[in-house]
């Protein structure tokens, strides 16, 4: 049976300083007393979580614990599900995004999302990255070209695709496709990036690249990542939140959660006794 | 231990065995040798036989249908000998079987199909987009979806009656409201021609609107099918990038569904080209030597621009109507005229269907799957 000690926690990726005191950072997201329902079925119970600016927060927990649902409330992707209902407050950059006056199109431009399964559009690599700016009204070819290059560079994909920007995005490998999706998200110039198990369908080498990328991106972006991989959570995040049966059991600095969790349930999950 | 781990420990204590099979060297009793040579087992032989019989039955069904088609085509080509010649497609109808041609019907069908496609594509694709992409799942939407299939099964003559009641009657009303003089005021450009322009109540537009009703359920169903085949992850990803619903539909969903939509539209249109019943119902001409708008060759589409406006409001006949008319003629020599008409109709149908294949190919090549 594994025991909890700092020696068992893998080293963090470059760019993620787990000893940093995140309480000093201003909050990028503040969820307060969030309840969420699919029809009559309640899936989130009174969740309150603060995500500091320019940090990585990992959401962990067993399947069906509500961590993905919570993630999707942060850019109101759950609005697409008929019969879903949400109560409570979510402040993004100080504004309550649950207000009816909020324009979800603007919200999603600032709160980008990367999905578990890479979802490139059946278009060229260039058109994939340029899609966000284009739907926002950017038409200038030169501006788009610069943006596509800088986003592909940020996503560590430029060197691999610079000679074939006009070929189909579908011709890329799984790991490249996922980095393309990250580049595509960066192109809308978001403040916050939500990642829903971004590496769960990838091989170890590609996973490694994505994790290093997260370490680089958190210097400029606030990242919230859902992951099933506990090692990954401990490698890439400053803060970890543990969900169980729709409740936020515990959240705190990643080193603390992985070495001295306050809750028994958290310890059981992290040591692999269930989940 | 908490109540959450009933199996965690037991799994570890049983580590010495997998699925209950001992791996610690306890030898099992040897089982008798097996043979893989065919023909030994009676039970297997009868199963194999049944399998072969079934395959032959399926093969027979396919080739029987094909044989009927081949015989039919051969018979038609054989009958068409005697009249099928280049002047059959350049002559209009005649009382003489040696001179009768299909030109008027060819042009009538051309104009009908042109306008039918122009009406049915926006309405059909629009309805499909609404039903699949926009409408919330309500009782009304469900009733519409179920009944679209029923509408596709309604005999076309029923649409003919509807077309007569709605479109032909409206056309008659419009004809009395806007006689030539009124139209001059509306379109000063074509003053001279239009002053002589008569509006017929059994015109091309009325026919095309009726044919639109006939094929609309099929167009909607094909478009719905194509839209449904677009993975929803594309829609979600597009919305997550800050695209509006309209941008998502227009830039992602419709391009991805376009090969399916265009094939559906073209195949439905080729069904409309063979329809005679609703047109007869509307009172389309059976015997005429006039092409709509007086346009008798593709070149005249360019050289007689004023006639272009007249054509949609002109009386017409169509290929299936002329074929039907010839087949009823007492003079036996008209048999080969009717057969030649069928050959021309089939050639037109085949060309439309090959256009469908080409369009599908190019529409899916623009997508970079």
């Amino acid at each position: 049976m594994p025991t909890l000690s700092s020696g068992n926690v893998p080293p963090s990726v470059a760019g993620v300083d787990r000893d940093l005191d995140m309480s000093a950072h201003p909050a990028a997201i503040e969820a307060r007393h969030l309840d969420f329902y699919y029809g009559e079925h309640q899936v989130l119970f009174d969740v309150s979580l603060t995500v500091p600016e320019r940090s990585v927060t990992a959401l962990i927990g067993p399947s069906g614990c509500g961590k993905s649902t919570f993630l999707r409330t942060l850019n109101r992707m759950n609005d697409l599900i008929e019969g879903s209902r949400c109560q409570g407050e979510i402040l993004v950059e100080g504004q309550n995004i649950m207000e009816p006056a909020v324009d979800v199109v603007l919200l999603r431009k600032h709160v980008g999302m990367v999905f578990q399964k890479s979802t490139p559009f059946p278009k060229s690599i260039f058109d994939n990255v340029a899609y966000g700016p284009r739907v926002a009204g950017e038409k200038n070819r030169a501006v788009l070209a610069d943006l596509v290059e800088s986003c592909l560079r940020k996503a560590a994909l430029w060197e691999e695709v610079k000679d074939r920007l006009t070929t189909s995005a579908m011709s890329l490998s799984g790991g490249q496709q996922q980095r393309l999706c990250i580049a595509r998200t960066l192109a809308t110039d978001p403040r916050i990036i939500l990642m829903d198990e971004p590496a769960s369908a990838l091989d170890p080498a590609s996973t490694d690249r994505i994790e290093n990328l997260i370490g680089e991106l958190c210097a400029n972006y606030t990242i919230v990542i859902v992951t099933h991989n506990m090692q990954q959570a401990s490698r890439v995040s400053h803060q970890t939140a543990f969900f169980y049966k729709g409740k936020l059991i515990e959240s705190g600095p990643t080193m603390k959660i992985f070495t001295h969790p306050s809750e028994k349930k958290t310890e059981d999950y992290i040591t692999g006794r269930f989940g | 231990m908490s109540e959450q781990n009933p199996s965690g420990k037991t799994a570890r204590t049983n580590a010495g065995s997998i699925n209950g099979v001992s791996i610690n060297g306890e030898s099992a009793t040897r089982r008798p040798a097996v043979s893989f040579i065919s023909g030994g087992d009676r039970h297997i032989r009868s199963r194999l036989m049944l399998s072969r019989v079934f395959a032959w039955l399926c093969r027979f069904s396919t080739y029987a249908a094909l044989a009927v088609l081949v015989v039919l085509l051969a018979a038609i080509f054989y009958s068409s000998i005697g009249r099928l010649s280049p002047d059959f497609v350049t002559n209009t109808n005649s009382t003489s079987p040696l001179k009768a041609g299909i030109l008027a019907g060819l042009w009538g069908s051309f104009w009908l199909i042109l306008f039918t496609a122009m009406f049915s594509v926006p309405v059909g694709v629009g309805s499909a987009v609404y039903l699949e992409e926009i409408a919330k799942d309500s009782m009304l939407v469900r009733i519409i979806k179920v009944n679209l299939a029923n509408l596709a099964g309604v005999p076309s003559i029923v649409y003919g009656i509807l077309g007569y009641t709605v479109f032909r009657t409206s056309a008659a009303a419009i004809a009395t409201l806007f006689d030539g003089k009124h139209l001059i005021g509306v379109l000063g450009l074509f003053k001279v021609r239009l002053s002589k322009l008569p509006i017929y109540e059994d015109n091309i537009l009325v026919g095309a609107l009726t044919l639109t009703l006939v094929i609309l359920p099929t167009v909607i169903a094909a478009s719905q099918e194509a839209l449904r085949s677009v993975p929803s992850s594309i829609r979600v990803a597009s919305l997550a990038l800050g695209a509006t619903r309209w941008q998502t539909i227009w830039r992602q969903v419709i391009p991805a569904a376009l090969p399916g939509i265009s094939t559906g539209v073209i195949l439905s249109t080729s069904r409309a080209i063979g329809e005679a019943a609703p047109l007869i119902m509307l009172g389309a001409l059976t015997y005429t030597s006039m092409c709509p708008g007086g346009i008798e060759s593709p070149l005249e589409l360019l050289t007689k621009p004023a006639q272009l406006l007249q054509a949609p409001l002109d009386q017409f006949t169509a290929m299936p109507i002329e074929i039907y008319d010839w087949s009823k003629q007492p003079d036996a020599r008209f048999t080969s005229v009717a057969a030649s008409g069928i050959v021309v109709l089939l050639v037109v149908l085949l060309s439309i269907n090959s256009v469908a294949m080409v369009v599908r190919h190019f529409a899916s090549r623009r997508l970079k799957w």
Side-chain angles (χ1 to χ4, degrees), chain B residues 183-217:
Chain B
L183 271 170
I184 292 173
V186 182
L187 301 155
L189 265 176
F190 297 96
K191 209 173 260 175
V192 187
R193 293 286 180 182
L194 283 180
S195 60
K196 284 185 272 178
L197 170 68
I199 299 177
Y200 294 98
E201 52 199 65
D202 49 347
N203 62 39
I204 292 268
L205 286 183
V206 170
L209 285 167
T210 308
L211 287 180
T212 302
L213 289 182
V214 176
I215 67 165
L216 205 49

Side-chain angles (χ1 to χ4, degrees), chain A residues 16-271:
Chain A
V16 175
D17 181 0
R18 287 182 302 205
D19 300 324
L20 212 63
D21 184 11
M22 277 295 153
S23 55
H25 277 222
I29 304 169
E30 273 183 273
R32 290 180 190 159
H33 307 294
L34 205 64
D35 291 317
F36 189 87
Y37 304 82
Y38 290 121
E40 290 305 301
H41 179 57
Q42 187 169 3
V43 287
L44 288 180
F45 299 84
D46 194 32
V47 173
S48 297
L49 179 67
T50 301
V51 175
E53 235 175 46
R54 280 175 287 143
S55 70
V56 183
T57 298
L59 310 181
I60 60 170
S63 298
C65 69
K67 55 191 191 301
S68 286
T69 302
F70 176 73
L71 190 78
R72 286 199 306 267
T73 58
L74 300 180
N75 66 347
R76 303 235 330 236
M77 284 307 274
N78 285 323
D79 287 15
L80 303 176
I81 300 165
E82 274 181 51
S84 67
R85 192 155 57 85
C86 197
Q87 285 166 359
E89 276 192 333
I90 302 172
L91 303 182
V92 172
E93 310 262 323
Q95 302 167 56
N96 186 3
I97 61 162
M98 309 278 282
E99 297 283 340
V102 166
D103 184 346
V104 291
V105 170
L106 281 176
L107 174 69
R108 289 170 190 158
K109 189 180 169 305
H110 292 296
V111 185
M113 190 160 203
V114 177
F115 299 88
Q116 174 178 12
K117 207 170 143 262
S118 57
T119 51
F121 301 130
K123 294 171 181 284
S124 71
I125 294 170
F126 185 95
D127 289 343
N128 263 274
V129 183
Y131 184 72
R134 273 183 178 148
V135 296
E138 182 59 66
K139 289 196 177 74
N140 187 326
R141 182 87 195 170
V143 173
L144 287 173
D146 286 348
L147 197 60
V148 167
E149 177 174 346
S150 73
C151 291
L152 285 171
R153 280 189 193 283
K154 279 188 212 166
L157 191 61
W158 175 253
E159 291 303 323
E160 292 159 62
V161 300
K162 63 181 177 189
D163 298 323
R164 47 175 180 143
L165 291 176
T166 55
T167 58
S168 169
M170 297 295 184
S171 65
L172 298 174
S173 72
Q176 288 174 326
Q177 287 188 6
Q178 195 60 300
R179 277 179 282 144
L180 179 73
C181 290
I182 293 174
R184 194 171 69 180
T185 304
L186 296 178
T188 66
D189 192 24
R191 306 282 170 84
I192 298 165
I193 303 172
L194 310 175
M195 298 185 172
D196 193 354
E197 299 184 40
S200 65
L202 302 180
D203 62 276
S206 302
T207 302
D208 201 44
R209 304 200 65 154
I210 300 277
E211 288 182 4
N212 287 321
L213 186 56
I214 291 170
E216 285 163 32
L217 292 175
C218 72
N220 296 309
Y221 302 89
T222 307
I223 296 174
V224 183
I225 177 174
V226 164
T227 178
H228 269 294
N229 182 335
M230 234 88 63
Q231 304 275 313
Q232 183 172 74
S234 60
R235 279 192 297 264
V236 302
S237 69
H238 300 92
Q239 176 184 246
T240 297
F242 171 59
F243 283 74
Y244 183 65
K245 289 193 173 170
K247 296 191 178 77
L248 177 62
I249 303 295
E250 188 176 359
S251 69
T254 297
M255 271 321 257
K256 179 180 177 295
I257 296 284
F258 279 85
T259 52
H260 309 292
S262 316
E263 300 289 327
K264 181 84 175 68
K265 196 83 85 190
T266 315
E267 185 181 339
D268 288 347
Y269 183 70
I270 286 170
T271 52

Side-chain angles (χ1 to χ4, degrees), chain B residues 9-298:
Chain B
K9 274 216 156 159
T10 44
R12 285 192 181 85
T13 50
N14 285 348
S17 76
I18 299 163
N19 293 336
V21 176
S22 170
I23 54 170
N24 291 338
E26 229 168 86
S27 61
T29 47
R30 275 198 82 80
R31 302 171 65 192
V34 290
S35 158
F36 302 116
I37 308 302
S38 75
D41 191 324
R42 261 192 65 207
H43 179 60
I44 288 179
R45 250 193 331 215
S46 69
R47 277 196 302 166
L48 282 177
M49 186 59 90
L50 192 66
S51 169
R52 259 178 232 136
V53 167
F54 184 72
W56 273 105
L57 276 176
C58 292
R59 196 168 297 174
F60 176 76
S61 314
T62 310
Y63 289 114
L66 194 67
V68 171
L69 194 67
V70 168
V71 168
L72 204 65
L73 283 177
I76 287 166
F77 271 102
Y78 182 72
S79 313
S80 70
I81 298 169
R83 184 62 194 103
L84 193 60
S85 60
D87 73 320
F88 179 72
V89 285
T90 54
N91 281 10
T92 51
N93 209 346
S94 161
T95 44
S96 154
L98 297 174
K99 286 184 184 165
I102 203 168
L103 188 66
L106 206 53
W107 276 106
S109 290
F110 167 78
W111 290 107
L112 278 175
I113 290 313
L114 185 72
F115 285 102
T116 304
M118 273 167 59
F119 297 143
S120 61
V121 169
V123 179
V125 177
S127 314
V129 166
Y130 173 73
L131 289 173
E132 289 301 315
E133 305 288 327
I134 298 170
K136 293 234 161 33
D137 190 27
S138 70
M139 199 56 174
L140 180 66
V141 168
R142 259 181 266 171
I143 290 174
I144 294 175
K145 282 186 180 176
V146 168
N147 278 294
L148 273 173
N150 293 339
L151 283 178
V154 170
S156 52
I157 191 134
V158 176
Y159 289 112
I161 297 168
L162 184 65
Y164 189 98
T165 323
V166 179
F167 303 130
R168 188 181 155 128
T169 314
S170 314
I174 290 169
T176 44
L177 266 174
F178 294 91
D179 53 13
K181 286 166 200 157
H182 285 86
L183 271 170
I184 292 173
V186 182
L187 301 155
L189 265 176
F190 297 96
K191 209 173 260 175
V192 187
R193 293 286 180 182
L194 283 180
S195 60
K196 284 185 272 178
L197 170 68
I199 299 177
Y200 294 98
E201 52 199 65
D202 49 347
N203 62 39
I204 292 268
L205 286 183
V206 170
L209 285 167
T210 308
L211 287 180
T212 302
L213 289 182
V214 176
I215 67 165
L216 205 49
T218 338
V219 172
I220 296 175
S223 307
Q224 275 182 298
E225 196 53 54
L227 290 171
R228 269 199 294 269
S229 70
V230 177
S232 63
S233 60
I234 286 186
R235 298 180 182 87
V236 175
S238 169
L239 291 170
L241 287 169
T244 61
R245 186 161 61 180
W246 166 245
Q247 286 173 325
T248 301
I249 292 171
W250 184 247
R251 291 170 182 243
Q252 298 293 349
V253 180
I254 291 185
L258 205 57
I261 291 177
S262 49
T263 314
V265 166
I266 295 172
L267 292 182
S268 312
T269 319
S270 69
R271 180 193 161 187
I273 214 169
E275 285 287 354
L279 299 177
I280 292 172
M281 196 67 223
L282 286 175
L285 304 172
T286 43
Y287 182 88
T288 180
S289 55
M290 282 296 292
C291 296
I295 296 173
E296 296 190 341
S297 78

